[in-house]
């Protein structure tokens, strides 16, 4: 029994070594992806804001002076340049990998959906279920990840960070456009922020890339019949704002799509490795429990 346990622990160590190598490969691949993503976002950010200023709100943009227009353009470019260090900072985050990230991960889910479209039902279950299973791990935090459970959570945390960073950039730009009176300034900024979050939760996208259409009802009828104030007619207003969407950004950039496919292949390897690791962990636990039972059992 002792030799069986030792053999299982050696097999676990081999899988942990393979995980370390996969982590190094994943980190390098994600670094290339994030750098390409940052460059692509900066270009598509300018294009989306151009659409807002010239197609959605041309009159508001024309009311600005030449220097004000220049300032807006410079501020937009400056915000875009902050994206690269923010995205790359997620590569070195290895804290709290024992617990699974709580927020929904649209990018990860999309990758899993893409994988399921090309696999058999049995293979689909292997990839998707293994990436989404709860983590049960006791491996201590390390700067080098050698636990497949931790590696899955690291990928999820990174994907979640990408979504959060793009959403935050969208909100910052929308607030900037409101301050410049291009987007309606009477609309509370929280409304646009909530619209972005609602779309992330599954509401339909607008027809234009990286643009969000929001229908807002302003004004309300006076429901108090005894009040002296006249009724205020309601007004339906369509607001077009920025919402940077990863799927649309990738679709418009062939290099980014290529890096995305490389990441998807890595996710598949990680999922398979995690399945093997969890199986060996269970076999080892069963063998140790059997040995512990025999060690304290005696015949009367």
């Amino acid at each position: 029994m002792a030799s069986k346990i030792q053999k299982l622990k050696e097999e676990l160590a081999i899988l942990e070594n393979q995980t370390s190598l996969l982590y190094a490969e994943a980190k390098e691949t994600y670094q290339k992806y994030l750098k390409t993503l940052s460059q692509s976002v900066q270009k598509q950010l300018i294009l989306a804001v151009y659409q807002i200023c010239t197609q959605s709100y041309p009159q508001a943009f024309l009311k600005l002076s030449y220097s004000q227009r220049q300032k807006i353009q410079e501020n937009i470019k400056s915000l875009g340049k902050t994206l690269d260090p923010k995205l790359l900072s997620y590569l070195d985050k290895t804290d709290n990998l024992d617990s699974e990230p709580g927020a929904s991960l649209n990018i990860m889910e999309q990758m899993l959906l893409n994988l399921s479209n090309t696999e058999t039902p049995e293979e689909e279950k292997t990839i998707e279920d293994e990436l989404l299973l709860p983590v049960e791990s006791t491996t201590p935090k390390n700067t080098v990840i050698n636990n497949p459970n931790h590696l899955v959570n690291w990928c999820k945390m990174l994907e979640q960070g990408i979504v959060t960073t793009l959403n935050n950039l969208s909100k910052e730009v929308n607030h900037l456009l409101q301050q410049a009176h291009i987007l309606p300034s009477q609309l509370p900024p929280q409304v646009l922020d909530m619209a972005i979050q609602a779309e992330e939760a599954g509401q339909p996208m607008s027809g234009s890339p990286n643009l969000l259409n929001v229908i807002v009802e302003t004004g309300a009828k006076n429901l108090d019949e005894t009040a002296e104030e006249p009724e205020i007619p309601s007004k339906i207003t369509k607001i077009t704002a920025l919402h940077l969407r990863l799927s649309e950004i990738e679709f418009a950039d062939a290099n980014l799509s290529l890096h995305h496919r490389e990441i998807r292949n890595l996710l598949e390897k990680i999922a398979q490795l995690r399945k093997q690791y969890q199986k060996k962990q269970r076999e080892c636990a069963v063998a140790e429990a059997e040995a512990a039972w025999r060690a304290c059992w005696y015949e009367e």
Side-chain angles (χ1 to χ4, degrees):
M1 181 60 68
S3 60
K4 179 181 178 181
I5 294 174
Q6 181 62 31
K7 184 175 183 297
L8 287 170
K9 288 185 175 181
E10 289 173 356
E11 290 173 348
L12 281 172
I14 292 173
L15 293 175
E16 288 173 355
N17 183 60
Q18 292 176 3
T19 302
S20 299
L21 296 176
L22 259 185
Y23 168 60
E25 183 181 354
K27 192 171 183 180
E28 182 181 354
T29 303
Y30 266 113
Q31 185 174 36
K32 295 176 183 177
Y33 171 81
L34 293 177
K35 283 185 172 295
T36 306
L37 174 62
S38 177
Q39 296 169 0
S40 186
V41 169
Q42 291 180 54
K43 295 175 183 176
Q44 295 188 50
L45 169 63
I46 298 298
L47 180 59
V49 174
Y50 169 81
Q51 289 288 115
I52 293 174
C53 292
T54 63
Q55 306 299 315
S56 301
Y57 302 101
Q59 294 179 335
F61 184 68
L62 289 172
K63 287 181 181 178
L64 302 178
S65 66
Y66 179 83
S67 61
Q68 288 174 323
R69 296 170 198 164
Q70 274 194 322
K71 185 177 180 181
I72 289 174
Q73 293 172 348
E74 290 301 322
N75 287 339
I76 296 298
K77 286 189 285 186
S78 296
L79 284 174
K81 290 176 182 177
T82 65
L83 193 65
D84 192 59
K86 288 179 181 178
L87 290 174
L88 292 176
S89 68
Y90 287 103
L91 291 173
D92 296 319
K93 291 186 177 181
T94 56
D95 296 330
N96 303 319
L97 294 181
D98 285 301
S99 58
E100 199 161 347
S104 60
L105 305 174
N106 292 330
I107 305 166
M108 179 70 75
E109 291 168 359
Q110 184 61 45
M111 289 183 179
L112 294 172
L113 179 62
N114 291 341
L115 284 171
S116 67
N117 290 336
T118 59
E119 303 293 344
T120 64
E122 182 178 354
E123 290 170 327
E124 174 186 341
K125 182 177 184 299
T126 297
I127 296 166
E128 182 168 355
D129 290 356
E130 289 306 314
L131 278 173
L132 299 180
L133 278 173
V135 171
E136 296 179 2
S137 172
T138 57
T139 302
K141 300 183 183 75
N142 295 312
T143 52
V144 175
I145 299 175
N146 61 3
N147 184 314
N149 297 322
H150 289 175
L151 184 53
V152 167
N153 282 349
W154 180 81
C155 292
K156 290 183 177 183
M157 181 188 68
L158 188 53
E159 298 287 351
Q160 180 177 304
I162 294 171
V163 174
T164 300
T165 302
L166 291 179
N167 284 348
N168 288 341
L169 178 58
S170 299
K171 294 173 186 179
E172 287 183 81
V173 172
N174 286 333
H175 295 173
L176 179 64
L177 294 175
Q178 272 197 305
Q179 292 170 1
H181 303 290
I182 293 176
L183 294 184
S185 56
Q186 70 272 21
L187 183 68
Q190 293 84 355
V191 173
L192 294 177
D193 296 350
M194 291 172 62
I196 290 175
Q197 295 304 126
E199 190 177 71
E200 286 295 331
Q203 292 192 6
M205 298 179 181
S206 66
S208 302
N210 299 309
L211 294 183
L212 172 68
N213 290 326
V214 184
I215 304 298
V216 180
E217 183 177 3
T218 58
K221 292 184 177 181
N222 190 344
L223 300 178
D224 187 356
E225 296 179 356
T226 63
E228 297 180 358
E229 291 82 0
E231 291 184 351
I232 303 173
S234 61
K235 181 182 178 182
I236 302 298
T237 305
K238 176 183 174 182
I239 308 296
T240 301
L242 177 75
H243 183 193
L244 295 166
R245 304 182 187 94
L246 186 64
S247 59
E248 294 176 339
I249 294 167
E250 288 181 335
F251 181 78
D253 190 324
N255 288 331
L256 194 58
S257 297
L258 177 62
H259 291 313
H260 176 96
R261 286 194 294 272
E262 292 174 352
I263 289 174
R264 189 181 67 175
N265 292 336
L266 273 174
L267 289 176
E268 184 176 3
K269 291 180 183 179
I270 293 169
Q272 297 293 343
L273 184 62
R274 186 191 188 193
K275 180 182 178 181
Q276 296 175 42
Y277 189 77
Q278 290 179 332
K279 182 181 178 182
K280 290 298 177 184
Q281 276 187 317
R282 176 165 178 78
E283 289 177 3
C284 189
V286 168
E288 288 180 331
E290 290 174 346
W293 175 276
R294 292 189 179 94
C296 60
W297 176 262
Y298 67 94
E299 296 288 346
E300 294 182 357

